[in-house]
Amino acid sequence: MKQFMDKDFLLSTPTAQELYHDFAAKVPVLDYHCHINPQEIAEDRKFENITQVWLGGDHYKWRQMRSNGVEERYITGDAPDREKFQKWAETLEKAIGNPLFHWSHLELQRYFGYTGVLNGDTAEEVWNLCNAKLQEASMSARNLILQSNVTLICTTDDPADDLKWHKMLAEDESFPVQVLPAWRPDKAMNLEKPDYGQYLETLAEAANMDIQSFEDLKAALKSRMAFFNEMGCRASDHGLEYVMYVPASDEEVEAVFQKRLNEETVTREEELKFKTAFMLFVAGEYAKMGWAMQLHYGCKRDNNTDMFEKLGPDTGYDCINNYAPSGQIADYLNALNAEGNLPKTVIYSLNPNDDEAIGTIIGCFQNSDAVGKIQQGSAWWFNDHKTGMTKQMTSLANLGLLGNFIGMLTDSRSFLSYPRHEYFRRILCEMIGNWVENGEYPKDMKMLERIVKGISYNNAVRYFGFGRYGFFVPCESWHNSGCALSIPAAL
């Protein structure tokens, strides 16, 4: 029997162990999509206790605590932090087979040096150990990032954001990690939302112009895109309720926008026409600037109305939407491609049943503009566990080129979430190692090194073009060899 979560955790073959320890474990972390607050990095936030850093804002854990019958006051309410931690520890011991069990213990091992098991009986011991460790300077927000060997972070930012924290970080030579903005314009697109008019006023103020037409909106967005681009933005991100492709004339789209400005009711079909026009416009701008476009869909949000009214969004009440928009995605990408406006695009679906459809769609639009121009994104949210990651990568390998995959991201609000990259890399090496051991791929360590290091790190650097900012230096033969990047000595 293997020891619990030892150095060869999830690595069952000699080849898997070699691939992980010699290659995957030695490259840094590039977190190209997360929800970390840049202000907390700029101010180098320190945490008073493990509950603050572990349970604050983590709806993954909140869902499981509710599944264990824990009262809400111990989850999002006013119960003391020590009592909240106890309830989490009592829940975690039941989470056999859940990635939270592995993530939590990886975090305890990597950041706190705790190699035991957290449960209701050990909660006091772990509480005291973690809280003592958190008082050390090494456990501030910046130092957690540094000790995680992170070289670059992309946050998630609204077009109206002034990016002052990013600017502060960019000017701070004492912190070597790049913290770049990523463009998230959902509020500018979602005209069905009750506060849409208020948001337009905020955007207009940020762009220093009036927004009285759809053309004005596009001009305001272009102005803000230029600002984001100057601040190092290389990617957009869209949270789509539905993938829509309902084309309409300019006149129709303008009429819909005017109806909304006049606070008239917009029909569902009108909403989709507007959103289609919006997404066609922004994608064309991304293509001009060389940005990558990330599309997240397949989520049905805020299903528990009673709790949504009490707690708001992103509190653990979302689910997979059984909706397969493969035809709409294909039509949308085709419309962009026909006009020469198709940017690099990463497609994520929350529904794992969409894996094969995405794998076939991306193959329709690959070309020499970029290596792996259209990507299937990493297993997302409810799928970022051992089974989901293996399924997504197996599907991608079956239908495309796994070797060009841009790999893992945290999609997290926590500074302790970087071991998710380790978890992903171990699963990757186990999968590839099994193929090699089974004679399905040769044990050519030079080729395997390029593949493993590429998926773990190098492919994302190349894909998003971070090297243009002078932090990463790819070797001259990158395109053909996929060789490793030069990493700053400080890291």
Side-chain angles (χ1 to χ4, degrees), residues 337-397:
N337 190 63
E339 298 295 328
N341 289 334
L342 180 60
K344 291 177 289 187
T345 302
V346 189
I347 304 173
Y348 310 79
S349 175
L350 196 57
N351 192 335
N353 293 329
D354 292 345
D355 283 347
E356 286 73 20
I358 293 173
T360 59
I361 290 167
I362 65 177
C364 297
F365 300 98
Q366 307 287 22
N367 58 37
S368 60
D369 289 350
V371 176
K373 178 178 178 178
I374 313 299
Q375 292 271 336
Q376 180 182 9
S378 183
W380 172 42
W381 196 346
F382 295 126
N383 303 306
D384 54 3
H385 44 71
K386 181 180 176 182
T387 301
M389 291 179 186
T390 302
K391 179 185 181 302
Q392 182 267 338
M393 287 190 284
T394 300
S395 176
L396 180 57

Side-chain angles (χ1 to χ4, degrees), residues 19 402 428-436 448 451-452 455:
L19 292 176
L402 181 64
L428 168 69
C429 292
E430 170 70 1
M431 185 180 72
I432 294 177
N434 283 333
W435 291 340
V436 173
L448 290 167
I451 290 171
V452 170
I455 296 170

